[in-house]
Amino acid sequence: MVRRLLLVLPVAVTLVTHDVRAQTCVPAKTALVLAGGGAKGFAHIGVLEIMDSLGLKPDLVVGTSIGAIVGGLYASGYSGVQIDSVLRTLSIGQMIRQYEPKVSSALGLVRPLAVWEKGEQGYVLQSGAVREGEVNALLSSLLLRGNLQARGNFDSLPIPFRAIATDVATRGAVVLSTGDLARAVRASAALPVVLRPMHIGDQWLVDGGIAENAPVRAARALGAQRSWISLLPFAGPDPKTFDDPLAITTVLLNSLFEQDSVTAERRDVLITNATMPFGNLDFSRATTDSLIEVGRVAARAAFAAATCLKPLSTAVRTVPLPRMVKQIGFSGVRIVDGDVVLDELGVSAGDTLSVGKLDLGITSIGHQERYRGLWLQPSGSGNDVTFHVQLDPAPKQSFGGGVAFDQFMSGRLWIGGIDRTLLNGDAEGVALVRLGTYEQDADVYVRRRALVGKRYVPFTIEAQLKHESVRLFSGDGELPSAETRELVGFIGLKQDVRDDMWHGEIGLDARLWREPLRNTRGTFGLRASVYHAATEYEMGTIGELLGFYDFQRARFDVSRRWRLAGEIDVSARLRAGWGNRLPVQETFALGGDDGFAGFRIGELRGTQEVFGSLLVRKRLNAMLFVRVELMSGEVASGYGVLRRVPGTTSGETFGGVRAGLEATTPVGPIRVEEGIANTGQRAILIRVGRWF
């Protein structure tokens, strides 16, 4: 009998233990707490994927910085896999960069060394770490669905949500629960120095990590009885990197944040992601993939060890999107700005809401440098939504300058700026001066938005003054330069050059010019062009037509780049030009600003040109590339198209190869290359910066 009791006793004890645990594991208000940490926040996505696989849904989401971004998406109804997919389609890493300031796309594809902007207290140096308008538009687009669901109240989301920011004045935590969802998340992620503080209500707010990087206290103050806490630990500073200014800056920024010294209670689930080896601003695909897996591993282990995982609610609410736009109001802008914005957003009061058009419009406005941010600030209920649009204007004035050098064309300097206060802010003025050994010019234009049909277009009046010493060569020697002077006037429509977008200009052009041994000449006619920039410093495609009474000129220049495996990229380029009775300053130099392998830049020149090249670049390390470029082309003069003229270079086909090294530097690329032509001629090209 005793023996039987001894055998049954362990089973009975186990049953009693399980019964006690079952009685103590009761539903409780559960918060998902997501810490801040920049790119490390991709580990949160791995955590969410494990939660989704286990069918776990919290009653509340509280996030700081990147935790607010991921948390805002999750609270809007996105799954972990969907958030991963959405974030991969966005160029987050391209928006956070080393110091790369920019004045305005209105100046063209020039790269400044420094930019000053007019702020409330005078001119200040632009941070240049991000394109703020693009970042704000990215967040508005990213959180558009949640913003429309919440309509000003974050408790109305499928899962109630809070974003944590820091009050600049008090350094205290600010819990954001109402207003524009994207704006609240942007305030939570306002990393000092990198992003400007956000002004919401009567407070200036910066990154919430300064006050509470892992916002457990905030979650408990909101009534959470249990927390699932996803931490992103920081690595300690490495003294070996202290000689790197960027590394020490990162260390100092990290020191501003309250470290994740969280005391978890017995009922909490603490997920300590192994993010110490990763950088806060490394958004590369390989890094983010690794971080997501780090989150999966940490979450799988943490939830497996948990004794109780019962939130109050077991299902996520379904919150439909509004279908009708009831009203639209604006603050902080003039009426004409409101009309332009409505035109871009594709919304109007009383019409059906098209979320797709609205999303495209937000992205488009993010590329318009006239504004730093657009916040919809929706409100309403049921099927209706009202937008109280807040536009943050860009600095009224900004200016900057840059330089470039090569051993053929010598040094070159530009200074330019933009003023957005003309005609009481309804027009903007742009000025650009470029100075060099062989070419100097000053370009000034005023642009005002004009209503054509139902769209606003940039109506432009422009004046340009040029002086160019056109270099002329004979054999191995150089002839005296042809000194030319030119005055150009233009009136028409002119759009800015922006990367990855098609733009153009069309209008009437009138000009006066003088060439050596000829009287002053003048003409007028049509000027039209289309262009598509590959990057903010490199033109991808341009087509141009000058149809004047005195001469005609047409050119086409297209380039395309492909990224191959093994850090190799290949670029192909094709140029073609034709002219009739061209002044010497309008003739084509074979290869353009880069010239032709083996020849001096501008040595081969004519009224017709055809040129093609294939460039292969291989990355050697973080800043160094090896370059090899094959090219072929010809130029000709006269009335025949590329007619061969014996005894001259006119119509002769040349081939060549140019090879060397390229280094990435704060002033732009530095290239050292040697070129050789099929004629046996050799020439070295040394260039600092991007030519303009």
Side-chain angles (χ1 to χ4, degrees), residues 283-329:
F283 289 92
S284 66
R285 179 66 178 267
T287 297
T288 55
D289 282 345
S290 298
L291 284 163
I292 291 172
E293 181 58 27
V294 163
R296 293 190 191 111
V297 171
R300 194 177 290 115
F303 284 118
T307 58
C308 185
L309 297 171
K310 285 188 179 180
L312 285 178
S313 176
T314 58
V316 178
R317 289 177 298 178
T318 299
V319 181
L321 296 175
R323 293 198 296 266
M324 297 294 297
V325 179
K326 186 176 181 180
Q327 289 181 322
I328 303 173

Side-chain angles (χ1 to χ4, degrees), residues 263-286:
T263 302
E265 298 182 357
R266 183 177 58 85
R267 57 197 174 188
D268 295 334
V269 176
L270 188 63
I271 307 164
T272 305
N273 298 290
T275 56
M276 287 78 72
F278 298 93
N280 288 23
L281 299 180
D282 183 1
F283 289 92
S284 66
R285 179 66 178 267

Side-chain angles (χ1 to χ4, degrees), residues 403-476:
V403 296
F405 169 85
D406 75 34
Q407 88 281 19
F408 288 124
M409 304 301 291
S410 191
R412 195 150 166 80
L413 164 72
W414 72 265
I415 301 172
I418 185 167
D419 186 339
R420 299 184 175 94
T421 65
L422 302 184
L423 300 180
N424 295 320
D426 195 28
E428 59 186 16
V430 180
L432 176 64
V433 177
R434 294 177 291 190
L435 304 173
T437 303
Y438 296 99
E439 185 176 358
Q440 308 88 41
D441 61 77
D443 191 4
V444 178
Y445 63 85
V446 176
R447 178 170 53 192
R448 182 181 185 275
R449 291 165 296 178
L451 184 62
V452 177
K454 294 184 178 181
R455 294 191 64 84
Y456 283 88
V457 293
F459 182 74
T460 302
I461 299 176
E462 179 181 16
Q464 187 176 37
L465 183 63
K466 302 180 183 179
H467 170 251
E468 183 176 359
S469 302
V470 181
R471 300 181 71 183
L472 304 174
F473 301 89
S474 177
D476 293 334

